[in-house]
């Protein structure tokens, strides 16, 4: 079945009682039992809820997975994966991993005796020399935030396999429409469903998808035991959002390409980071593992000036100044003062988050209007 058909139908049946075409929002905490332990598969809503179960089946289908688990946030999903580990275990991830992930690893789990290595995953020699007998997990994001670096998932999977590591891929930036990491050899795929999956900036949710049943049972146990489970209303909203995921992603990619090209040709713009450009360092790998190049774009201004970047970020009318990404509405952000503000300046400069860098989450408005908005904002400097 094609992606768009799965997005609309997978995991859902008309309601057997009423024929409702959409899964009802089962707003209930518990389920009546005929005798102790005798129930219809649902006992208590933290463990399992029918609205959430429909979403989990749907998401699993989109990632070509056997199993899906939804969490109350993307961070809740990452937290569950790290709880598979034990004190003494080590994790390798990239030095430009999502800020919230960095914070959870370093400020929460490091004090539980888990060691995290933040390295440049393109440096194969360094990667190999960092792996030791305590390494259990390789945590990868691609494309990365905010510089849209592309990591070769097949290469990471081969390395993980050779060293008996688990490979988890945060697929938030791509969405399952653009990239399916399990097909490329990953063990676990993670999403912040808050972003493209929900797609309407109205819900916070996370998800894990995977194929290994034993690993699924361990994660489902952590899910229920630790309790970062989403409510039925939020599950419904994401299920509804996913029905247009393929249509939205096509529009994000179309608008993304035209805006990336507009920026590249603009005299006040310096570098433009977008994996669809043939001269982007990760273009060939992106082409081999993604269906298209998405609507996330970062760019610098000529002269790399903090004040000018701030001026542009506050002069747009359609691009709203906000954290987050992946909604139908376009957003603009200034990583140096927003998403990466907590990282020491020397460190963020080292991996390219300069003062004049701006990040766009290109929405699905009409692209002529978006370009005109950027044009007038660039005229202000
Ligand atoms: C937003 C985001 C997260 C965290 O997800 P929440 O839903 O905000 O908890 C993790 N990884 C990436 C790449 C993200 O963009």
């Amino acid at each position: 079945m094609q992606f768009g058909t799965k997005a609309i139908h997978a995991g859902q049946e008309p309601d057997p009682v009423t024929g409702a075409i959409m899964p009802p929002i089962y707003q209930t905490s518990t389920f009546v039992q005929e005798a102790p332990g005798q129930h219809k598969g649902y006992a208590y809503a933290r463990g399992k809820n029918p609205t959430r179960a429909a979403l989990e089946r749907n998401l699993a289908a989109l990632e070509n997975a056997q199993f899906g688990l939804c969490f109350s946030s993307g961070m809740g999903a990452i937290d569950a994966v790290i709880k598979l580990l034990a004190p003494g275990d080590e994790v390798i991830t990239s030095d430009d991993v999502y800020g919230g992930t960095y914070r959870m690893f370093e400020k929460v789990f490091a004090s539980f005796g888990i060691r995290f290595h933040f390295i440049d995953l393109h440096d194969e020699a360094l990667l190999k020399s960092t792996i030791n007998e305590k390494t259990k997990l390789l945590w990868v994001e691609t494309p990365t935030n905010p510089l849209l670096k592309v990591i070769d998932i097949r290469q990471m999977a081969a390395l993980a396999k050779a060293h008996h590591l688990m490979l988890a891929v945060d697929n938030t930036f791509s969405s399952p429409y653009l990239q399916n990491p399990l097909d490329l050899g990953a063990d676990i795929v993670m999403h912040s469903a808050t972003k493209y999956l929900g797609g309407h900036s109205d819900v916070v949710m996370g998800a894990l998808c995977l194929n290994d049943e034993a690993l699924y049972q361990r994660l489902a146990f952590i899910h229920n035991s630790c309790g970062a489970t989403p409510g039925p209303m939020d599950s419904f909203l994401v299920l509804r959002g996913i029905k247009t995921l393929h249509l939205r992603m096509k529009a994000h990619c179309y608008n993304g390409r035209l805006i990336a090209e507009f920026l590249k040709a603009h005299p006040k713009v310096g570098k433009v980071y977008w994996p669809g450009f043939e001269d982007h360092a990760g273009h060939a790998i992106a082409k081999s593992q993604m269906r298209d190049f998405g609507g996330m774009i970062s760019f610098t201004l000529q002269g790399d000036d903090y004040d000018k970047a701030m001026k542009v970020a506050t002069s747009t009318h359609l691009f709203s100044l906000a954290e987050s990404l992946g909604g139908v509405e376009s957003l603009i952000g200034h990583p140096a003062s927003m998403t990466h503000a907590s990282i020491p300046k020397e460190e963020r400069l080292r991996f390219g988050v300069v003062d004049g860098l701006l990040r766009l989450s290109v929405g699905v408005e009409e692209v002529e209007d978006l370009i005109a908005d950027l044009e007038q904002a660039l005229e202000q400097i």
Side-chain angles (χ1 to χ4, degrees):
M1 210 184 282
Q2 299 291 304
F3 187 92
T5 312
K6 286 198 281 191
I8 292 168
H9 292 286
Q12 295 157 75
E13 299 286 332
D15 178 52
V17 178
T18 63
I21 196 160
M22 274 303 283
I25 301 164
Y26 285 90
Q27 194 74 48
T28 185
S29 61
T30 192
F31 301 83
V32 177
Q33 310 190 7
E34 285 179 20
Q38 250 187 64
H39 53 72
K40 299 180 168 72
Y42 298 96
Y44 183 65
R46 173 167 21 81
K48 212 169 162 200
N49 173 286
T51 319
R52 191 175 89 215
L55 173 60
E56 290 172 341
R57 290 192 297 268
N58 180 264
L59 262 177
L62 297 186
E63 283 291 7
N64 299 324
Q66 292 292 319
F67 307 103
L69 279 171
C70 288
F71 292 80
S72 49
S73 68
M75 296 319 298
I78 300 173
D79 173 82
V81 175
I82 303 304
K83 284 174 179 159
L84 292 166
L85 306 178
D89 287 348
E90 297 191 9
V91 179
I92 299 176
T93 187
S94 61
D95 50 12
D96 58 355
V97 72
Y98 174 72
T101 305
Y102 173 84
R103 184 174 59 192
M104 179 195 283
F105 288 179
E106 269 309 272
K107 310 276 184 212
V108 180
F109 282 112
S111 56
F112 286 79
I114 298 170
R115 186 153 175 225
F116 298 90
H117 300 271
F118 300 90
I119 66 167
D120 178 0
L121 293 178
H122 286 114
D123 186 340
E124 208 178 329
L126 176 62
L127 180 52
K128 283 188 172 151
S129 68
T130 308
I131 296 174
N132 64 61
E133 72 281 0
K134 292 180 190 152
T135 316
K136 294 284 156 59
L137 173 68
L138 191 52
W139 184 274
V140 168
E141 274 169 34
T142 179
T144 64
N145 178 34
L147 294 177
L148 289 311
K149 287 196 222 160
V150 178
I151 307 287
D152 187 337
I153 298 175
R154 288 186 189 89
Q155 185 202 355
M156 293 297 129
L159 197 75
K161 200 162 182 203
H163 296 272
H164 308 287
L165 317 179
M166 212 159 38
L167 173 63
V169 176
D170 179 339
N171 205 26
T172 302
F173 263 47
S174 296
S175 89
Y177 176 80
L178 292 180
Q179 179 171 279
N180 293 125
L182 299 179
D183 292 349
L184 304 167
D187 299 295
I188 301 175
V189 55
M190 173 264 156
H191 282 282
S192 167
T194 314
K195 316 293 168 54
Y196 286 107
L197 290 170
H200 295 74
S201 310
D202 53 8
V203 61
V204 172
M205 196 187 290
L208 299 175
C209 296
L210 68 161
N211 278 315
D212 185 280
E213 177 150 22
L215 190 57
Y216 166 71
Q217 294 300 350
R218 288 176 65 202
L219 284 165
F221 180 81
I222 292 167
H223 188 235
N224 183 40
S225 303
C226 297
T229 58
M233 180 70 195
D234 286 352
S235 301
F236 175 87
L237 285 171
V238 175
L239 202 49
R240 171 180 155 126
I242 287 174
K243 287 184 189 292
T244 56
L245 179 63
H246 56 302
L247 305 176
R248 288 185 283 111
M249 290 311 297
K250 281 176 196 164
H252 285 297
C253 292
Y254 176 82
N255 287 357
R257 172 176 295 279
L258 293 177
I259 288 174
E261 283 166 358
F262 159 77
L263 290 169
K264 201 171 195 180
H266 199 287
K268 289 184 182 169
V269 171
K271 286 189 195 133
V272 183
Y273 299 95
W274 181 65
F277 287 135
E278 277 179 23
D279 60 1
H280 183 285
H283 179 72
I285 297 164
K287 228 174 143 176
S288 80
Q289 65 189 19
M290 296 171 73
R291 287 185 197 95
D292 205 338
F293 304 106
M296 295 303 298
I297 302 168
S298 292
F299 65 100
T300 63
L301 297 173
Q302 292 282 3
D304 183 31
D305 188 291
Y306 190 93
D307 295 330
K308 282 185 179 166
M310 282 300 209
K311 182 74 187 160
V312 172
T314 53
S315 298
T316 51
H317 304 302
L318 289 173
F319 283 86
S320 300
L321 181 67
E323 310 262 3
S324 199
L325 62 115
V328 290
E329 53 286 280
S330 294
L331 302 181
I332 188 165
H334 181 241
S337 66
M338 295 167 74
T339 47
H340 292 65
S342 61
I343 299 170
K345 185 166 176 177
E346 303 74 59
E347 209 169 313
R348 77 170 158 79
L349 290 182
R350 191 172 50 76
F351 54 78
V353 181
V354 297
D355 289 344
L357 184 78
L358 291 162
R359 190 192 80 177
L360 303 178
S361 170
V362 176
V364 301
E365 301 94 334
E366 295 296 339
V367 71
E368 293 79 5
D369 294 329
L370 294 178
I371 288 174
D373 190 32
L374 291 170
E375 179 84 75
Q376 67 77 29
L378 286 164
E379 268 167 29
Q380 313 286 317
I381 57 169

